[in-house]
Amino acid sequence: SLVIRDGMRKRIPGRETARGDVVIVAEGDRVPADGIVLEATNLLVDESLLTGESVPVRKVALTPAAISDAAPASEESIAPPEHPGGDDLPYVYSSTLVVGGVGLVEVRQTGPRAQIGQIGRALHEVPVERTHVQQEVTQLVKVLAIGAFALCILVLLAYGILRGHWLAGVLAGITLAMAVIPEEFPLVLTLFLALGAWRLAQRHVLTRRMPAIETLGAMTVLCSDKTGTLTQNRMSVGKIAAASSIERDTPYLVYDPALHPHERVAEPFFSVLRVSALASQTTPFDPMEQALQQLARQSLDPSGQLDADLVFIQEYPLTSELLAVTRVWAVNSVESAHATEPPAGFLVAAKGAPEAIARLCGLDAERREALQRQTAQFAQQGLRVLGVAQAVAPVMGEAAALPDTPHAFSFTLLGLIGLADPIRPTVPAAMRDCDTAGIRVVMITGDYPLTAQAIGEQIGMLGAKGVITGDALATMSDDDLRQHAHDYTIFARVVPQEKLRLVKALRARGEIVGMTGDGVNDAPALRAADIGVAMGGRGTDVAREAAALVLLDDDFTSIVEAVRGGRRIFDNLRKAMAFIFAVHIPIASLALLPVVFGWPTILMPVHIVFLEFIIDPACTLVFESEPAEPDVMRRPPRNPHSRLFSRRLVTLSVLQGISVLAAVLTVFLVALQLGQTAAEARTLAFATLVVADLALILVNRSWTRVILSTLRSPNPALWLVVGGAAVTLAIAIYVPFVASLFHFAVLHLTDVLICLGAGIASILWFEALKVIQKRVKATPVGGDTATV
């Protein structure tokens, strides 16, 4: 900070700025603290990180009387500044950027009392909540673990008391514990989210909090900031209107540079553009002036220059009485541009508010009305409108004297220039994808209502009730806000506190809310939303740290891809959980039933370990690698209150497990009845169980497509698991040393065919159910509203 202390200018660290300091701010400076503007000369400040406004705002100085009234008697009596945003206000705010002019500021608020500090406090007060799936899996694991422990104790006691074989009881209890304890559930959830984060990163979406990935599929509302999210956060010339010689019929001719991206701007539009550039700084810091200079220079011949025969003489800065900037150039030949002799004349270039330019030009009522109509037309398109005028003055007398005010020149109106913050080209298509997927997009911005409405129309998101402003929201109760949050899709002139209230109101309605943003002002809402999405390129560090996801390419389309990935992950997570439920039913039953009925032992700890080497890769790598269902983005978001382990999922899983158990027990008991040894019956039962488990993997890859259809979908992990299981099973049966460890006997060809047939037959009913469902065009099996 450059401060004035003890009558002297001192450069100090910004953190040492104190209340009561007088700070000098100029173009390129960061404002060190909130304060009151004492003096201002053409002071323009970019407040977009606090307000979302796409253009800098003008600042004016307080009158001496107002400064005296605002002077605080003590720290407690300091009144907080007005909310940021809007032109001609006497306040500046910490961390905003001065893009033009110079000012003298008295510091009033620092640290947590400043606007940016209040955002920090709000961010700290918003808790990070656990997702529904996390809570559900945690509760389920607790219940199953307690149940498994109780069963193990009962089996141990039953074996020891009824048979007197305590060592065998211990082995039986360990076997049952290995079969029942649900260690796969947290493993699957963690690995799915980790691999999902890796896949999203390949699509330029960085995951900062992994649980948000599974929430993506349930997102019902996407709240988007405008500046830098839907738009490119850079100014460009949107339209040029040149004053026509035919005043009555066509007072203005309009040119759209976007329709001629590779062409030079031709007359008469180039004259408007050139004079507007001459009325700007030669090396501008203001993004609007940068856009004017860039387009004007692109329209020149390769060897041409805007001011080749001109020498800058003087500038008349923008004032509160005349909202226009006037720059005077001396007209010379190129050879004598720096000569000491008087110039041949003056070229006076002016740009500013259309009404100010109209006063400079002395327009009559008819031409003024035409100017207002054209200005309103540009404004309705979301453009920031500047009027452009030119005056040519001869040198009067021997000295090149200039008047004290630009009103002394005889200006001619050249036209208007509309500057736009253009939308991202990919946004309209992404909006259509959101609509197809049942996601309602809401714009929450600090920019002007007319600008927000124009952007909303361009991307196709304008709601039936139009735009509502932050001032209207501030007067609403929380109940009224919940209603209006559902009715409107565009909220303009919204301050950070209202953004946070909107997100909370939507969540109170039961919506799963995604919030995108890039500014400091977005951070509390990003943290409060179910899924906060920050812009990685243009976003601030505060926004990125508050968000759950970060778009590395700042592309709105990446959000749609993230939603697609989130829905795929949740679908596959459900398939994996269904498989885990189904596969553990026969395993646990085969470990328990021999104890109850006195049969020979079917499963031992070594068998459970073998099965886990099939189950764990299958429920993680195989199902996680499954591609998305064809209709994943053509169906509405899942019910946010639906359970991961829904009644239908559990029912189908139990039926699948029972059918596998029935097939395995049938093979085992028939083998015993036919006089085969316990080792032979055990081998037949175990081989049948392995085949049935592999069949469960195949049928659960999709709950809408049959196996023959899913086999055409690539999944390398599937064949690694299937092939590895087949090879390892063959080794366990046919290698004598290994077979002795497993207590197996050798299977003949007929036995192998029996195991294959019984294992495959155990899941045929589920394949038949898919065919029936497809014919009646019912909801996919496993969905919460499915009917069969």
Side-chain angles (χ1 to χ4, degrees):
S1 308
L2 181 60
V3 301
I4 300 176
R5 289 181 177 175
D6 301 325
M8 299 178 61
R9 296 188 179 192
K10 296 181 180 180
R11 180 72 67 175
I12 64 172
R15 64 180 179 274
E16 295 181 7
T17 306
R19 183 171 52 87
D21 274 337
V22 176
V23 180
I24 301 172
V25 293
E27 182 176 308
D29 289 345
R30 286 281 178 189
V31 179
D34 291 9
I36 294 176
V37 180
L38 305 179
E39 296 180 8
T41 303
N42 199 21
L43 184 60
L44 294 174
V45 181
D46 179 1
E47 297 180 346
S48 59
L49 87 167
L50 291 176
T51 66
E53 291 175 313
S54 56
V55 294
V57 293
R58 295 186 302 272
K59 297 297 179 180
V60 296
L62 250 63
T63 62
I67 295 174
S68 176
D69 294 339
S74 65
E75 182 177 351
E76 290 72 17
S77 66
I78 298 177
E82 300 288 337
H83 290 308
D87 287 315
D88 301 327
L89 294 176
Y91 297 113
V92 292
Y93 302 93
S94 175
S95 299
T96 58
L97 180 65
V98 179
V99 299
V102 64
L104 207 60
V105 175
E106 181 181 338
V107 174
R108 288 299 177 88
Q109 307 285 359
T110 61
R113 293 180 178 271
Q115 284 288 331
I116 196 170
Q118 293 176 24
I119 293 174
R121 284 208 311 269
L123 189 61
H124 179 72
E125 294 169 358
V126 177
V128 178
E129 300 178 358
R130 303 183 71 198
T131 65
H132 296 293
V133 171
Q134 284 180 305
Q135 297 172 10
E136 189 176 350
V137 170
T138 300
Q139 185 65 28
L140 179 67
V141 168
K142 288 180 180 178
V143 172
L144 291 180
I146 293 173
F149 181 75
L151 279 176
C152 294
I153 297 298
L154 288 176
V155 168
L156 171 62
L157 294 176
Y159 227 105
I161 294 173
L162 297 178
R163 300 189 181 184
H165 300 296
W166 290 98
L167 180 59
V170 171
L171 292 176
I174 292 174
T175 302
L176 185 60
M178 295 173 65
V180 176
I181 290 178
E183 80 281 357
E184 291 93 354
F185 290 128
L187 170 68
V188 167
L189 183 61
T190 302
L191 194 58
F192 264 60
L193 297 182
L195 290 176
W198 173 71
R199 294 184 188 278
L200 290 180
Q202 292 180 314
R203 296 178 178 142
H204 308 290
V205 179
L206 177 66
T207 304
R208 298 193 70 254
R209 290 198 290 274
M210 286 197 299
I213 295 175
E214 56 90 5
T215 312
L216 279 168
M219 185 168 64
T220 58
V221 176
L222 176 58
C223 298
S224 175
D225 185 39
K226 179 185 72 66
T227 305
T229 307
L230 300 175
T231 65
Q232 300 178 25
N233 197 22
R234 63 175 180 84
M235 300 302 296
S236 66
V237 178
K239 295 287 180 66
I240 303 175
S244 172
S245 58
I246 309 174
E247 294 292 340
R248 294 184 179 275
D249 299 330
T250 55
Y252 291 94
L253 302 175
V254 178
Y255 176 79
D256 188 346
L259 299 178
H260 309 84
H262 304 295
E263 297 180 11
R264 295 171 180 168
V265 179
E267 293 292 350
F269 307 104
F270 179 69
S271 294
V272 182
L273 183 62
R274 178 175 181 267
V275 171
S276 69
L278 291 175
S280 306
Q281 297 292 324
T282 306
T283 55
F285 196 79
D286 187 330
M288 289 193 299
E289 294 189 346
Q290 289 176 352
L292 295 173
Q293 293 274 12
Q294 181 181 5
L295 184 59
R297 296 184 188 282
Q298 287 176 356
S299 301
L300 290 170
D301 292 329
S303 60
Q305 294 183 3
L306 283 174
D307 52 359
D309 58 344
L310 301 175
V311 176
F312 175 69
I313 300 297
Q314 181 176 328
E315 176 179 323
Y316 297 93
L318 178 145
T319 65
S320 57
E321 291 77 20
L322 181 65
L323 299 177
V325 175
T326 306
R327 290 170 64 86
V328 181
W329 298 81
V331 180
N332 291 320
S333 64
V334 178
E335 293 79 6
S336 62
H338 300 286
T340 57
E341 61 188 44
F346 296 111
L347 173 64
V348 187
K351 77 174 192 313
E355 57 272 17
I357 297 298
R359 291 200 303 272
L360 279 177
C361 297
L363 299 183
D364 57 29
E366 183 178 357
R367 296 180 65 191
R368 191 183 296 268
E369 183 180 352
L371 179 69
Q372 291 173 349
R373 287 197 304 268
Q374 187 61 54
T375 301
Q377 182 179 343
F378 277 6
Q380 289 172 357
Q381 299 172 26
L383 303 177
R384 177 92 166 194
V385 187
L386 295 176
V388 180
Q390 171 185 286
V392 178
V395 176
M396 304 300 295
E398 296 182 358
L402 293 174
D404 295 330
T405 171
H407 289 282
F409 296 104
S410 179
F411 282 96
T412 300
L413 177 67
L414 296 183
L416 299 170
I417 290 183
L419 292 121
D421 183 5
I423 64 170
R424 295 181 178 272
T426 56
V427 168
M431 291 290 298
R432 291 191 293 270
D433 289 340
C434 288
D435 183 64
T436 303
I439 300 172
R440 187 167 69 96
V441 181
V442 174
M443 182 196 299
I444 305 177
T445 178
D447 216 336
Y448 295 96
L450 201 59
T451 304
Q453 182 174 346
I455 295 297
E457 290 174 343
Q458 292 177 37
I459 63 176
M461 70 171 296
L462 186 61
K465 289 194 176 183
V467 183
I468 187 170
T469 64
D471 291 339
L473 296 180
T475 61
M476 295 180 186
S477 65
D478 290 341
D479 292 337
D480 291 339
L481 183 58
R482 281 194 290 270
Q483 178 61 38
H484 285 82
H486 176 74
D487 293 340
Y488 288 87
T489 56
I490 297 181
F491 298 83
R493 271 293 182 225
V494 178
V495 297
Q497 294 85 346
E498 299 304 327
K499 286 187 179 184
L500 183 58
R501 284 188 67 207
L502 274 170
V503 170
K504 290 181 176 179
L506 287 167
R507 294 192 64 189
R509 293 180 57 89
E511 306 278 9
I512 299 297
V513 181
M515 172 72 190
T516 72
D518 59 356
V520 175
N521 62 325
D522 298 320
L526 289 172
R527 176 66 63 85
D530 296 281
I531 309 163
V533 184
M535 300 294 124
R538 299 181 182 273
T540 60
D541 289 340
V542 176
R544 288 192 291 267
E545 291 169 6
L549 302 177
V550 178
L551 302 185
L552 300 179
D553 57 359
D554 286 4
D555 192 343
F556 188 81
T557 308
S558 298
I559 301 175
V560 179
E561 291 302 316
V563 171
R564 185 190 305 275
R567 291 188 175 191
R568 183 194 66 83
I569 289 170
F570 190 83
D571 284 352
N572 292 342
L573 186 61
R574 272 191 156 179
K575 297 171 187 176
M577 295 300 183
F579 170 76
I580 293 172
F581 258 116
V583 80
H584 275 80
I585 289 175
I587 295 175
S589 300
L590 293 175
L592 180 63
L593 291 178
V595 177
V596 176
F597 294 104
W599 299 336
T601 302
I602 301 176
L603 295 182
M604 301 177 184
V606 67
H607 302 138
I608 303 297
V609 172
F610 183 100
L611 293 173
E612 291 295 343
F613 276 104
I614 298 175
I615 295 171
D616 289 353
C619 65
T620 53
L621 300 179
V622 173
F623 286 107
E624 196 283 329
S625 301
E626 276 300 304
E629 296 286 349
D631 66 337
V632 69
M633 291 298 287
R634 296 197 301 270
R635 61 185 189 228
R638 73 176 189 271
N639 186 341
H641 301 293
S642 65
R643 299 178 62 84
L644 174 64
F645 303 97
S646 64
R647 181 180 300 177
R648 182 163 295 276
L649 180 146
V650 174
T651 300
L652 289 173
S653 299
V654 169
L655 290 176
Q656 287 179 356
I658 290 175
S659 64
V660 170
L661 174 63
V664 174
L665 283 180
T666 300
V667 171
F668 178 75
L669 295 177
V670 170
L672 290 178
Q673 290 293 325
L674 294 177
Q676 294 190 352
T677 64
E680 292 172 334
R682 180 184 303 111
T683 307
L684 282 168
F686 188 80
T688 303
L689 179 60
V690 171
V691 173
D693 287 349
L694 296 177
L696 281 177
I697 298 174
L698 295 175
V699 298
N700 283 294
R701 287 183 67 194
S702 174
W703 285 3
T704 58
R705 296 178 294 157
V706 296
I707 290 179
L708 294 178
S709 176
T710 58
L711 287 177
R712 292 193 290 268
S713 300
N715 190 331
L718 170 68
W719 303 115
L720 287 175
V721 171
V722 173
V727 171
T728 308
L729 180 62
I731 293 174
I733 294 175
Y734 295 106
V735 175
F737 171 73
V738 181
S740 65
L741 296 177
F742 281 84
H743 301 278
F744 282 164
V746 175
L747 295 181
H748 303 290
L749 179 60
T750 304
D751 299 328
V752 173
L753 294 177
I754 290 173
C755 296
L756 288 174
I760 294 173
S762 66
I763 51 86
L764 290 179
W765 67 271
F766 194 66
E767 289 294 286
L769 187 63
K770 295 178 186 178
V771 175
I772 295 173
Q773 169 193 277
K774 186 175 181 179
R775 289 183 177 179
V776 300
K777 297 181 180 180
T779 306
V781 177
D784 294 327
T785 59
T787 56
V788 178

